Amino acid sequence: MDDICVEALTARFDPDLRGSPYEGDREYTRDLMCEVSLCLVGAVACRAACAEAAGEGEAPGHPGFAMSGEEAEGYLANYPNSLVEPSPELAGMLLAAREHMASRLEATARAGIILRAERLRELLALSGFGFFAVCCALASAVDRGFERLFAQLHGDTVQPFPTLGAVLACYELSCPKSRPEWRELLDPSAGINRLVLMPEQPDRPPLARAVALRPNALSYLLGSFRLSGELADCGGGIIPSAQRALFLEGQIDKARTALSRMANRDKPRLCVLCGEAGSGRRLALAKAAEEEGAELLLVRLDELSTAVGEAAESVVDEIVSAALFWGLIPCFYSENAAESALFKRLLRALGGYRIGVVLLTSRLRGSPG
């Protein structure tokens, strides 16, 4: 095991790169996956050592791993030392890997390079364990080999995602003195749950539940922005600013001010641009967005409400993710915003992250709040 770890460290964490900035997300993601692989090496080895010590074919499990009745008795009899501690060599390798990555992240920050994974860590105030859970879920999503390794740990060959228990076991190997707050993944209001899904599994305890990345989070981490069919069908394009008319300057000033304030993300904001069709609302917004360096996500809200009906949760999540991850400003066309249940849900969800919203309408009937 130690030879494997030494080889993994020297081959994957090039000493010559220590203290140099990451060139981009691909290189950093590779190092994150290497860290996860080292933890998995340790976790698998600990299970094998437990099995050998017990003289059984399978090791007493960690919570969230499958175990027989005999294994459960062995686990309880030896608790809390049921898992073999990582060897000093492995612990040293994991520490060296973290220090290597930390040195490169510091250099990356000094170089002004923004990495998507680190942006999410800061944006959602992820704990160390929460970020590690995201990395494990990402590993299983992009590499089928990680699927098989996690399956070996949690004892379910048809489960393609790591379980919460497997993630916890690996993290405790990497950070043995930590006390990870794993229950945050069970709290729907926690920032981590903007990134991961933990499907309800009534027949399983919490630590046996699967941890998977939300599709929108995976797309962001991989640098791939795509709209769902529902949003694409109900989206409108921004008219190029070169086509604007001269009499729009008043509206442009108002739109520019609104977009500038929204960029601060200091509080939720709703900007309403009223005017009849052809009055230049989109032209004004296009010019203001160009000047402010803002990108807009335009959606015909009334059509979208009809298309998704009651099944609006996924589209709300997609719009929030587009605004939160990619920095787009949601802009909705609607003549019935005040009566739209979907619009009210979107305002509540976006407001939780202090994201501004633009509403284009011919007249505002009542309050959409």
Side-chain angles (χ1 to χ4, degrees):
M1 179 184 71
D2 296 337
D3 290 341
I4 293 175
C5 292
V6 171
E7 181 181 349
L9 187 69
T10 56
R12 303 176 191 181
F13 298 95
D14 186 348
D16 292 338
L17 295 177
R18 185 181 177 90
S20 64
Y22 285 107
E23 295 182 358
D25 293 283
R26 183 185 295 272
E27 188 181 19
Y28 181 46
T29 299
R30 179 178 177 274
D31 273 6
L32 290 175
M33 300 302 96
C34 288
E35 182 187 16
V36 171
S37 71
L38 280 177
C39 293
L40 280 167
V41 167
V44 171
C46 282
R47 275 184 66 85
C50 282
E52 183 178 356
E56 300 174 356
E58 294 291 337
H62 188 281
F65 296 167
M67 64 172 72
S68 67
E70 292 181 358
E71 292 168 347
E73 291 178 5
Y75 181 84
L76 293 172
N78 294 287
Y79 186 86
N81 299 311
S82 301
L83 277 179
V84 175
E85 291 295 323
S87 70
E89 290 79 7
L90 175 59
M93 295 303 153
L94 290 168
L95 178 61
R98 291 198 301 273
E99 291 177 344
H100 175 93
M101 295 170 66
S103 74
R104 300 202 64 187
L105 285 174
E106 290 176 5
T108 302
R110 289 195 299 270
I113 300 172
I114 299 175
L115 302 171
R116 284 189 289 269
E118 288 300 306
R119 180 176 178 273
L120 290 185
R121 188 207 292 257
E122 181 179 356
L123 185 67
L124 298 172
L126 300 181
S127 67
F129 176 69
F131 186 71
F132 184 75
V134 169
C135 292
C136 289
L138 176 62
S140 68
V142 300
D143 189 326
R144 295 296 301 274
F146 281 104
E147 287 185 6
R148 298 173 63 187
L149 284 168
F150 279 115
Q152 182 176 351
L153 282 179
H154 56 59
D156 186 349
T157 58
V158 299
Q159 171 58 268
F161 305 112
T163 60
L164 180 53
V167 173
L168 179 60
C170 290
Y171 184 76
E172 288 178 337
L173 281 174
S174 177
C175 303
K177 296 182 180 180
S178 66
R179 298 180 63 85
E181 294 295 333
W182 57 268
R183 292 185 183 276
E184 66 180 313
L185 274 76
L186 306 178
D187 178 5
S189 65
I192 180 67
N193 287 297
R194 174 54 53 191
L195 304 177
V196 302
L197 282 169
M198 292 193 63
E200 290 288 344
Q201 296 173 295
D203 58 331
R204 294 192 173 196
L207 287 172
R209 289 171 61 180
V211 180
L213 276 183
R214 291 180 180 271
N216 296 317
L218 177 60
S219 295
Y220 177 72
L221 287 168
L222 297 181
S224 174
F225 178 71
R226 297 177 182 175
L227 290 179
S228 66
E230 291 86 355
L231 272 185
D233 290 343
C234 299
I238 288 284
I239 299 176
S241 58
Q243 299 180 18
R244 68 186 180 88
L246 295 177
F247 62 83
L248 296 177
E249 293 302 334
Q251 289 195 42
I252 291 174
D253 288 341
K254 293 178 181 178
R256 184 189 301 116
T257 300
L259 293 179
S260 177
R261 290 175 177 172
M262 287 177 183
N264 294 330
R265 295 271 177 101
D266 56 344
K267 64 180 181 179
R269 297 179 185 273
L270 174 61
C271 171
V272 181
L273 294 181
C274 292
E276 298 298 328
S279 63
R281 297 166 301 174
R282 285 196 301 166
L283 292 171
L285 197 58
K287 178 59 178 176
E290 179 185 50
E291 293 180 355
E292 293 299 321
E295 293 185 282
L296 306 171
L297 175 64
L298 273 75
V299 179
R300 292 189 293 272
L301 182 67
D302 299 337
E303 294 180 25
L304 182 64
S305 298
T306 301
V308 300
E310 295 298 322
E313 182 177 352
S314 62
V315 79
V316 170
D317 178 70
E318 182 179 4
I319 291 173
V320 173
S321 297
L324 186 62
F325 302 161
W326 297 96
L328 305 184
I329 295 177
C331 177
F332 302 103
Y333 296 97
S334 177
E335 299 302 328
N336 303 292
E339 292 82 27
S340 172
L342 177 58
F343 190 55
K344 292 175 182 178
R345 287 184 62 179
L346 284 164
L347 287 181
R348 288 194 296 270
L350 292 163
Y353 296 100
R354 301 189 295 278
I355 294 171
V357 172
V358 177
L359 173 64
L360 300 179
T361 186
S362 59
R363 56 177 177 166
L364 188 60
R365 303 168 183 172
S367 171

